[in-house]
Amino acid sequence: MEPVTLITGGSTGIGAATARALLKQGHRVAVTGRDADKLAAFAASAGVGERLLTITGDTSDAHDVTSAVRRVVDVCGRLDNVIANAGFSLPGNLESHAPEDMRAMVLTNVLGPALLVRETLPHLRESKGRIVIIGSVAGVRNTPGNLYSVTKWAAHALAENTRLLVAKDGVGVTVVAPGVVDTPFWDERGGTPEAAMTAEQIADTIVFAVNQPAGVDINHITMRPTGQLG
C-alpha cells in the first residue's frame, strides 16, 4: 500500500523538494500552501497525476488545517507521515519588525505546526506514522534580536514535547534543523551566502528520517553547509 504523506508549505523550496523525493519513492503526497497559483504550477511541473493532491490553505488557521487533514484522509484513506514545513522569517530584528508581522510569523512558525500535530495524531497513531518538524540552526543558537530564532526554538520544543506524548504509541518524531539553504528565504537579504545547501539535500535528510524502520526514531538532525560557522 502506498504511504500517504502531508506536507505544509509544499509548493516551493524544501517542501516542494521533499514532495518530489517522496513521489519518486512511490508515496501519495498532499501539499498545502496559501498561494493557489504556486500550487498549480508545482502540480504541473511534478506531472504525477492522482498521486499528488494540492490543498490551498493557511497553516496557522485551525479551520484550514482541519479541512486539509480531513481531505487527505477522505481521498487517500489513511495518513502515514506529516511534515510541518510551512514557515517564514522577517528581515531585520525585534526593533524593526512591525507588530502585525511578528504576530503572523509566530502564528505560522509555532501555532501552525502545533495545529497540524493536534489534528493528525489520531491518524498517525493508527498508522504508526511519523512527524517531521522543520526547525533551524536558529533554533539551537541565539542571535541578537532574532524573533525567527525564538519561533524555531519553540518548534524544537514542540517536537520533543510531541515525542514524549506519542512515543508509547509507536509514532516517530523528528526535528530537522538546517543551516543556510539556497531558497527564496534569502531574496530579501541580499542573496544566498556562498556556503549554502540545496533544498534537495534537506529533502534527502527528511526522507531518511521518514524511511527509518519500525522501532527506530531519529529525533533531531542539525545540518550545516561546510563553511557555515554559526
Side-chain angles (χ1 to χ4, degrees), residues 39-60:
L39 285 171
F42 173 67
S45 69
V48 291
E50 293 181 356
R51 287 201 297 115
L52 176 65
L53 178 66
T54 60
I55 304 170
T56 304
D58 184 343
T59 190
S60 68

Side-chain angles (χ1 to χ4, degrees), residues 133 139 151-164 175:
I133 294 175
T151 68
K152 288 302 181 179
W153 280 75
H156 290 201
L158 172 66
E160 178 60 11
N161 274 267
T162 302
R163 185 190 71 81
L164 294 172
V175 59

Side-chain angles (χ1 to χ4, degrees), residues 60-72:
S60 68
D61 184 287
H63 178 267
D64 285 0
V65 174
T66 299
S67 296
V69 173
R70 182 183 300 119
R71 185 173 174 200
V72 172

Side-chain angles (χ1 to χ4, degrees), residues 5 7 49 75 111 128 135 155 184 193:
T5 300
I7 304 172
V75 171
L111 180 63
K128 307 296 182 186

Side-chain angles (χ1 to χ4, degrees), residues 5-19 22 30-34 39 42 59-60 81-89 105 108-110 112-114 116-117 131-136 148 151-152 155 158 174-178 181 183-185 199 202-203 206:
T5 300
L6 170 61
I7 304 172
T8 62
S11 61
T12 60
I14 292 170
T18 304
L22 290 172
V31 298
T32 73
R34 290 183 293 182
L39 285 171
F42 173 67
T59 190
S60 68
N81 307 291
V82 175
I83 300 169
N85 169 72
F88 73 95
S89 178
M105 183 165 63
T108 299
N109 295 2
V110 182
L116 186 68
V117 168
I131 300 166
V132 178
I133 294 175
I134 307 306
S136 172
Y148 175 75
T151 68
K152 288 302 181 179
L158 172 66
T174 303
V175 59
V176 174
V181 184
T183 69
F185 176 94
I202 311 306
I206 295 167

